[in-house]
Amino acid sequence: MAKQRKISIHFSISEFLFLIFFLFSSIMLAFSSKSFVLRFDEIGFSILTYVQDKIFFVKSKMNDVVLLVQETTQLRQDNEVLKERLKNYEYMQRNNSDIRKENERLRVLLDYSESLVQKNYPAEIIGRDTDSLYSYIIINKGSKHGIRKNLPVIAYQNGNTGIVGKVTSVGYATSQIMPVYNIHCSVSARIKNTRDIGIVVGSGNANSPLRMQYIKKRVLDELRHGDVVVSSGENDNYIKDIPIGTIDEIVVVDYDSSLDIKLTPAIDFSRLEDVIVIDLKELRNSPGD
């Protein structure tokens, strides 16, 4: 025979006392009113209403949480969009600023170019050969623009004019310039203050001083730090009185009758962007221009 399962019901003392109190009250009420009706529908309705109210409260809070999460997500997305727009705006501002600076630089260059009586060709530097001994500059003008070999090159930088070098090689659309700091470059020069004439040569590096040679020791007492050295204009190599550099150091060598003068270049080649190629043999407003 299958064993019968015992069912046991356990009441706590408080539950038992509550049940006795409830039955006693009901009996007493029935005796006193002669009638006793237990309204289970009202009790059930109250319980149901209470449960529904709590469910509605929980549901409302859950909806609030969901809405908060959605709003937070949307705010993050909007924030990312705004950040991207800000980046684009800042990029456009930088571009506009760069364009304005470039336009201003080119306008100043063009104004200076038009002030020269000689025919000239403004050009942009597009490359550099930075070999320590044989340094060259490449510009974006060539034979199709009128550039020829051995034409002198100057620059207008920060309101000052200075010699850059000369054209040594010409292509169809580009040309090569040998700058004054190239060891093979030599420029007939004059100390502006004393009018003594010598030769300026390069040291092979744009960051190194130029050297002026063949200035006699007898003028040592007349020379000052910062004196300007300009092109002499002899041999039709360069326009006369264009700055080459300023005296930075004067070295006296016992066995040499000349001074060894070191010059700071008039042009800051590390920041040079544009140059002007000069045709000394043709005027800018000559017929056929």
Side-chain angles (χ1 to χ4, degrees):
M1 295 178 62
K3 293 183 180 180
Q4 293 183 350
R5 297 178 59 185
K6 294 182 179 180
I7 299 175
S8 62
I9 299 176
H10 300 280
F11 292 97
S12 65
I13 295 175
S14 58
E15 291 173 342
F16 180 75
L17 291 176
F18 174 77
L19 181 59
I20 295 299
F21 178 77
F22 179 76
L23 291 175
F24 178 76
S25 299
S26 299
I27 293 170
M28 293 299 295
L29 181 63
F31 279 110
S32 62
S33 59
K34 307 290 187 188
S35 63
F36 176 74
V37 179
L38 190 61
R39 303 298 299 273
F40 288 101
D41 56 342
E42 292 182 2
I43 296 174
F45 177 76
S46 298
I47 296 173
L48 181 61
T49 302
Y50 176 80
V51 173
Q52 287 180 338
D53 181 63
K54 295 303 179 182
I55 292 175
F56 177 79
F57 176 79
V58 173
K59 183 178 180 182
S60 176
K61 293 300 179 182
M62 290 297 295
N63 288 337
D64 291 342
V65 171
V66 171
L67 288 175
L68 181 60
V69 171
Q70 291 176 345
E71 289 177 357
T72 302
T73 302
Q74 186 62 44
L75 286 174
R76 287 178 180 174
Q77 293 175 352
D78 293 343
N79 187 44
E80 291 301 321
V81 172
L82 290 175
K83 284 183 179 179
E84 191 64 28
R85 288 180 180 177
L86 181 59
K87 288 181 182 178
N88 292 336
Y89 176 76
E90 291 174 346
Y91 175 76
M92 291 175 61
Q93 287 292 96
R94 287 195 297 270
N95 279 355
N96 290 338
S97 177
D98 292 341
I99 290 172
R100 284 195 297 269
K101 289 179 181 178
E102 183 177 3
N103 288 341
E104 177 62 19
R105 190 185 78 248
L106 294 176
R107 184 189 65 77
V108 171
L109 180 69
L110 182 60
D111 289 345
Y112 179 77
S113 169
E114 292 179 347
S115 71
L116 299 173
V117 296
Q118 296 86 358
K119 190 171 185 179
N120 59 83
Y121 309 91
E124 181 182 358
I125 294 175
I126 59 174
R128 302 172 196 258
D129 176 7
T130 56
D131 187 281
S132 60
L133 293 180
Y134 305 101
S135 301
Y136 292 93
I137 295 172
I138 308 299
I139 60 174
N140 64 343
K141 294 289 176 68
S143 59
K144 75 171 184 177
H145 304 99
I147 306 295
R148 302 192 309 276
K149 189 175 179 180
N150 293 323
L151 291 183
V153 183
I154 66 173
Y156 187 69
Q157 187 182 59
N158 300 325
N160 300 309
T161 308
I163 286 182
V164 173
K166 67 177 181 178
V167 177
T168 55
S169 179
V170 180
Y172 179 68
T174 60
S175 298
Q176 178 179 271
I177 297 171
M178 180 171 62
V180 291
Y181 57 81
N182 187 297
I183 60 172
H184 293 306
C185 185
S186 61
V187 182
S188 177
R190 190 184 299 274
I191 299 175
K192 189 174 183 179
N193 182 36
T194 67
R195 307 309 293 173
D196 289 282
I197 194 168
I199 298 294
V200 172
V201 296
S203 59
N205 192 308
N207 298 318
S208 300
L210 305 175
R211 295 178 61 196
M212 189 173 191
Q213 301 172 337
Y214 308 114
I215 300 297
K216 300 300 181 181
K217 288 182 177 179
R218 58 180 171 78
V219 301
L220 176 61
D221 293 337
E222 301 177 49
L223 301 180
R224 298 291 181 271
H225 184 277
D227 280 352
V228 178
V229 176
V230 298
S231 56
S232 68
E234 296 181 359
N235 302 322
D236 292 332
N237 288 331
Y238 292 92
I239 302 175
K240 185 178 181 180
D241 289 333
I242 299 296
I244 301 174
T246 56
I247 295 178
D248 182 61
E249 183 182 356
I250 301 174
V251 179
V252 180
V253 182
D254 293 337
Y255 56 83
D256 197 337
S257 61
S258 299
L259 300 171
D260 183 9
I261 302 176
K262 296 182 180 181
L263 308 177
T264 299
I267 295 298
D268 183 353
F269 287 93
S270 65
R271 295 185 175 183
L272 186 61
E273 299 180 69
D274 307 290
V275 299
I276 301 175
V277 181
I278 307 292
D279 188 342
L280 297 177
K281 297 182 178 180
E282 192 171 352
L283 298 179
R284 188 171 61 84
N285 294 320
S286 61
D289 285 357

